[in-house]
Amino acid sequence: MKKALIIIIAIIVFALSVTAGFFIAKLNDNPPVETASPSTDILQTTEERVAESETVTEKETESETEAETESEASTTEVQKGDSITTDYYSVDVPASWNGKYSYSVTKNSENGGYGLSVCHKESYGVGYGGKLFTISLFSVEEGYGKDLIENEPVPLEYLGVLKVPGEGEFDVIVMFPSDAQFNESTMDGYNELFNSNESVYKTLTPTNGATFEKVQ
């Protein structure tokens, strides 16, 4: 009887050992997953890279700003054009007109008139006139300018009175063509200058002691 009890206890112990071994094996096959937190070194490296990136961006922005400033300065310098100087005044011509225009000065001794005609060179060259505008001076004493303003036979703009020592006072009138001064091939080039006429004639500056009273 005692011997049988020992055998039963041994069987129970063996069974418990097998069961424990089975669960231990399962635990070894599926070890707990550890969540690794980033090390301090990695975080520092990342922060340093971000700071470095921001510094590079700032430098690039500064370089772009400097480049834009230099470009604007160069553009301003390039935009300097020519001047047309007559006996009584001068006008400035923008650089965009360079090589695209021609001009002539005429004087009429009968009525005291004095004119500066500016033309689109290409249109003039193909026989279509190319006239952009004419700055005409008419003796105030003779009254031709006043008659012209009142009758206005052509499109015009009155600028004021130019007083020239030893010559007298002149009404300054800008006259524009009333008909086409270009053909199909020169139209775009002509219109480019015609649409910026004011950038020339409104720069009128008296010379040789003359004075200019602009119309209000």
Side-chain angles (χ1 to χ4, degrees), residues 2-165:
K2 190 174 181 180
K3 187 176 181 179
L5 182 61
I6 293 173
I7 293 172
I8 292 172
I9 293 172
I11 292 172
I12 293 172
V13 171
F14 175 77
L16 291 174
S17 298
V18 172
T19 303
F22 176 79
F23 281 107
I24 291 172
K26 279 289 184 180
L27 290 173
N28 289 334
D29 290 340
N30 299 282
V33 178
E34 295 181 0
T35 304
S37 58
S39 68
T40 305
D41 292 339
I42 294 175
L43 288 175
Q44 289 177 345
T45 302
T46 303
E47 291 173 354
E48 288 172 358
R49 287 179 178 176
V50 171
E52 181 180 351
S53 175
E54 291 175 348
T55 303
V56 171
T57 302
E58 290 174 358
K59 288 182 178 179
E60 289 175 350
T61 302
E62 290 173 359
S63 299
E64 290 172 358
T65 302
E66 291 173 0
E68 289 174 357
T69 302
E70 291 175 359
S71 176
E72 289 175 357
S74 299
T75 301
T76 301
E77 184 176 349
V78 169
Q79 286 304 313
K80 293 179 180 178
D82 299 326
S83 291
I84 300 175
T85 302
T86 70
D87 295 335
Y88 308 138
Y89 63 85
S90 67
V91 291
D92 296 329
V93 182
S96 59
W97 281 41
N98 287 353
K100 302 175 183 178
Y101 75 96
S102 60
Y103 70 92
S104 61
V105 176
T106 57
K107 188 172 183 178
N108 190 327
S109 56
E110 293 183 2
N111 60 18
Y114 188 93
L116 167 66
S117 294
V118 181
C119 299
H120 176 234
K121 183 186 291 186
E122 187 179 5
S123 295
Y124 178 81
V126 295
Y128 277 80
K131 187 164 292 185
L132 297 165
F133 63 87
T134 299
I135 300 177
S136 296
L137 306 184
F138 295 98
S139 170
V140 172
E141 184 179 356
E142 297 289 338
Y144 289 104
K146 183 179 179 181
D147 291 340
L148 187 64
I149 294 170
E150 290 176 352
N151 297 318
E152 198 167 338
V154 294
L156 56 82
E157 183 175 349
Y158 178 61
L159 298 185
V161 176
L162 184 70
K163 298 180 180 180
V164 181

